[in-house]
């Protein structure tokens, strides 16, 4: 989906792509709401494009490391942030509109706009919290040598633009890919996404491989 799409609202749908595309499209059309306002995801504002270009030039270029030994358990998440709220719940509240939570901090209603693909969802179960720089990517870029405490901080970082609420299937299709092989389909978000990526990698002194750096440079040239 390119450009700035018309806001779309969807009811809850299966979390995995197990239904034929035509059925998904039919369900989406049937649950389209034209009167509800679009929510705007709001992670911390990333660095400017100019700063991103400078930061990118400062990153160490190195072939991507091995995934040997990697486990998501080595990046403990989601941790408690305050009261009964963990990191996922904090991001859902931050990135959503009119979010209502229960006594355990679980979101019971609200809407979430996914800037990656331009869809808006009204069930929190249809939303994933994406690690902009994926955990596995971080592992292969230097996090394999970190302490568990540092990896936990990375996986739950609310200060940098590292966490964002997006459509669950989009997050799953991204996996651990870097910008050389995956970018949000909504091209209006290209510059923001790349600025976020570079800021996080620079802050944590993670490396970039040559293809990744080239893709980022190309993308930032239009910002």
């Amino acid at each position: 989906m390119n450009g700035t799409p018309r806001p779309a609202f969807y009811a809850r749908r299966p979390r995995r792509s197990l239904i034929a595309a035509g059925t998904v499209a039919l369900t989406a059309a049937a649950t389209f709401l034209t009167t509800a306002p679009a929510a705007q995801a709001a992670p911390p504002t990333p660095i400017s494009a100019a700063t991103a270009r400078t930061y990118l030039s400062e990153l160490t270029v190195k072939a991507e490391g091995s995934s040997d030994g990697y486990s998501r358990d080595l990046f403990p998440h989601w941790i408690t942030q305050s009261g009964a709220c963990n990191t996922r719940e904090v991001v859902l509240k931050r990135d959503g509109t009119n979010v209502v939570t229960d006594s355990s901090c679980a979101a019971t209603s609200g809407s979430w706009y996914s800037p990656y693909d331009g869809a808006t969802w009204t069930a929190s179960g249809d939303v994933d919290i994406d690690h902009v720089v994926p955990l596995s990517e971080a592992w292969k870029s230097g996090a394999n040598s970190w302490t568990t405490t540092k990896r936990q901080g990375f996986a739950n970082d609310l200060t940098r633009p590292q966490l964002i609420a997006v459509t669950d299937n989009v997050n799953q299709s991204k996996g651990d890919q870097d910008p050389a092989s995956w970018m949000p389909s909504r091209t209006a978000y290209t510059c923001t996404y790349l600025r976020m990526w570079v800021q996080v990698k620079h802050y944590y002194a993670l490396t970039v491989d040559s293809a990744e750096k080239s893709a980022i440079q190309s993308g930032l040239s239009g910002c």
Side-chain angles (χ1 to χ4, degrees), residues 24-209:
V24 172
L26 181 60
T27 302
T31 56
F32 181 75
L33 302 177
T34 60
T35 58
Q40 294 297 319
T45 301
I47 55 176
S48 68
T51 300
R53 285 189 281 270
T54 298
Y55 280 10
L56 181 62
S57 71
E58 296 171 354
L59 294 178
T60 298
V61 179
K62 184 179 179 181
E64 194 169 83
S66 170
S67 60
D68 289 351
Y70 168 73
S71 168
R72 289 178 66 85
D73 292 340
L74 296 173
F75 294 79
H77 64 290
W78 304 111
I79 63 170
T80 299
Q81 292 291 338
S82 63
C85 302
N86 66 28
T87 307
R88 171 182 164 80
E89 292 158 346
V90 169
V91 176
L92 284 173
K93 180 76 171 179
R94 182 197 71 189
D95 289 3
T97 292
N98 300 323
V99 177
V100 176
T101 57
D102 62 20
S103 59
S104 64
C105 205
T108 58
S109 64
S111 62
W112 292 268
Y113 175 77
S114 170
Y116 286 1
D117 60 337
T120 298
W121 302 98
T122 55
S124 63
D126 288 327
V127 177
D128 276 357
I129 307 305
D130 180 41
H131 289 96
V132 173
V133 175
L135 304 182
S136 176
E137 165 69 20
W139 177 269
K140 294 178 286 187
S141 303
N144 60 323
S145 66
W146 294 353
T147 63
T148 300
T149 298
K150 184 172 182 178
R151 287 193 289 263
Q152 175 177 291
F154 175 84
N156 297 274
D157 190 348
L158 295 169
T159 303
R160 264 64 53 182
Q162 164 66 344
L163 300 172
I164 185 170
V166 298
T167 301
D168 57 357
N169 288 352
V170 171
N171 181 51
Q172 293 150 20
S173 70
K174 171 185 173 181
D176 65 353
Q177 299 177 81
D178 67 34
S181 54
W182 189 93
M183 284 291 296
S185 61
R186 181 171 165 264
T187 57
Y189 206 66
T190 293
C191 290
T192 301
Y193 183 77
L194 292 176
R195 287 155 50 206
M196 294 164 76
W197 183 281
V198 172
Q199 181 175 348
V200 172
K201 279 226 161 176
H202 187 270
Y203 180 83
Y204 286 98
L206 294 169
T207 62
V208 291
D209 61 51

